[in-house]
Amino acid sequence: MKIGITCYATYGGSGIVGSELARELVRLGHTVHIIARSLPTRLTELSDDLQFHEVEALNYPLFEAPHYSLALAVKQAEVACREDLDLLHVHYAIPHSISGYLAREMLRGKHALPIVTTLHGTDITLVGSDRSYLEVTRFAIAASDGVTAISKFLARETCRQFGLPDIRVIPNFVDVEHYVRREGCALRWRLAPAGEKLLVHVSNFRPVKRVLDCVEIFSRVAKQTPSRLIMVGDGPDAGAAAARAAELGLANDVVFVGKQPRIGDYLSIADVLLLPSETESFGLSALEAMSCEVPVVASRVGGLPEVVDEGVSGFLREVGDVDAMADAVLRIVTDEALASSMGKAGRRVAVEQFTTERIVPQYLDYYREVIEAFDPGCREPKIQYVR
Ligand code: GMT
């Protein structure tokens, strides 16, 4: 198949999923055209079968900001026609789904372009549920030819919020050959020179991630056991987290490594992954950590219980309960047998339920279903909803 993929290129789970999916589709013999603002960070090896098309949005003095959604629609339509795409798969509803809809309509009568939208989380739970975007998100979902959600939680939440009958769930996936445990490597010695325990957090440091909770949890853990907190990524709350660490006298033990292209290097040497998010529709970093045999301490929210098995591959606690999360971390880092059994349980779940090989074919089957059902002449919304 010839597939167009649109996703955000910066550090966010949806961009990672879009990129990893593209890579795997190419490996399976398909051709993928990435249509995005910039090259997604995890995609470095382009080829004839994996091409990147950059969306450049003109900024005219009359505009308050460049019209990315419109420029994207034009690029999607242009690439679809020129490259004879069979289907366009957009990740994150706002605005990618609307751009896809515009592209499809612009091409009507010239080129059939079914649109699949994959919902990732905040496009429904935060952005899409805000009054300013609610109706357009509802429209985008209904107008798509196929819609998937990355967890049962998100599918339920979308149906509840937008009055939809049901949505296909295709969970996130992990490359279990790449995300593996690595003992005794140089990075571990550099970050924990005196054999300290390593707590790792990976995110885009947005308020929804509650990165300050990571510092609070760590301050409680560090009082009981020699440890360090490694903060991987960057974003709006990084400064506040660093300031709080300094205030607590922990500036040397909380290490901010910024945005990193090789997240696996950090996860593979961690003792615990911290994910104290306000909401999390899946928690891709939890799955990647589990693949590296790292126990997870996270909030009991959203789709996280579908990934992390409470008491088996990690501990789930209430949002904001930093005392309970610190206790959970301490249980793991002070009990080697527990840490090892949790790590192995997490790896087992990753290998048995969430491998790339198991999940990506589900997307391919869904593409075929959508292409087969696509009626190029039909202008009715594809998905019915009840207001
Ligand atoms: O909101 C974010 O943190 C970014 C967002 C994204 O789409 O880039 O992440 C969401 O998608 C990820 C990949 O599917 C999921 O693993 C995350 O759980 C989800 N984030 C939230 O729901 C907060």
Side-chain angles (χ1 to χ4, degrees), residues 12 18 28 45 70-71 82 87 117 191 226 233 267 312:
L28 292 172
E45 50 322 276
L70 300 180
R82 196 181 58 234
L87 178 138
T117 297
L191 294 172
L267 291 176
V312 180

Side-chain angles (χ1 to χ4, degrees), residues 220-222 224-225 272 325-335:
R220 288 154 176 79
V221 172
Q224 310 274 339
T225 194
V272 173
M325 289 190 195
D327 286 347
V329 172
L330 280 163
R331 274 183 68 186
I332 296 167
V333 297
T334 56
D335 182 343

Side-chain angles (χ1 to χ4, degrees), residues 362-380:
Q362 296 182 28
Y363 277 115
L364 276 168
D365 289 345
Y366 192 56
Y367 292 166
R368 290 191 189 102
E369 227 178 272
V370 168
I371 291 170
E372 217 169 289
F374 186 68
D375 171 2
C378 174
R379 284 174 187 270
E380 287 296 303

